[in-house]
Amino acid sequence: QVQLVESGGGLVQAGGSLRLSCAASGLIFSSYCMGWFRQAPGKEREFVSSITWNGGRTYYADSVKGRFTISRDNAKNTVYLQMNNLKPEDTAVYYCAADRTSASSLASDYDYWGQGTQVTVSS
């Protein structure tokens, strides 16, 4: 049974930082590309960042480029999202996802999803 468990969310002031983690089990983690998506109330789920199976390539939404950094540790079956200079518009539930074929920006391409972790940025 595949499980993706996010952690590290919380309440932070604008300009602050958070580091999200996503621990994977039940799959060969090093064979999967991983992605982070987010969904704010009343909005569709949107792509945030993704990383290839070996960490060789990373991709970011324009809205987070230069502020967020995705990384992974295949020995720990974990993917991270370091979020700096957070803004109120970053407030959302953040989800990690696993994709067997590519580091896609499309949510529909992903095979497995976590339950999400809430990030709230106050102004």
Side-chain angles (χ1 to χ4, degrees):
Q1 179 182 355
V2 175
Q3 281 194 313
L4 302 177
V5 180
E6 301 95 338
S7 61
L11 174 63
V12 64
Q13 288 188 331
S17 298
L18 284 174
R19 187 195 197 202
L20 305 184
S21 299
C22 172
S25 60
L27 76 171
I28 302 175
F29 182 73
S30 59
S31 296
Y32 281 78
C33 299
M34 299 297 294
W36 286 97
F37 291 77
R38 66 188 182 187
Q39 188 166 18
K43 295 188 176 182
E44 292 189 354
R45 192 168 297 191
E46 65 172 359
F47 171 75
V48 175
S49 181
S50 61
I51 187 168
T52 52
W53 64 274
N54 64 350
R57 288 183 180 247
T58 58
Y59 304 91
Y60 298 93
D62 287 343
S63 59
V64 307
K65 205 170 291 183
R67 299 188 298 121
F68 290 10
T69 302
I70 190 171
S71 62
R72 66 189 296 161
D73 185 338
N74 286 348
K76 295 183 178 180
N77 287 1
T78 301
V79 62
Y80 305 97
L81 185 69
Q82 177 67 45
M83 306 186 295
N84 297 330
N85 190 22
L86 283 159
K87 303 176 180 181
E89 52 263 42
D90 295 318
T91 295
V93 177
Y94 283 71
Y95 299 90
C96 73
D99 184 341
R100 183 65 180 85
T101 57
S102 71
S104 174
S105 62
L106 298 176
S108 58
D109 285 343
Y110 284 77
D111 304 302
Y112 303 106
W113 289 84
Q115 294 298 309
T117 186
Q118 176 71 48
V119 171
T120 302
V121 184
S122 63
S123 56

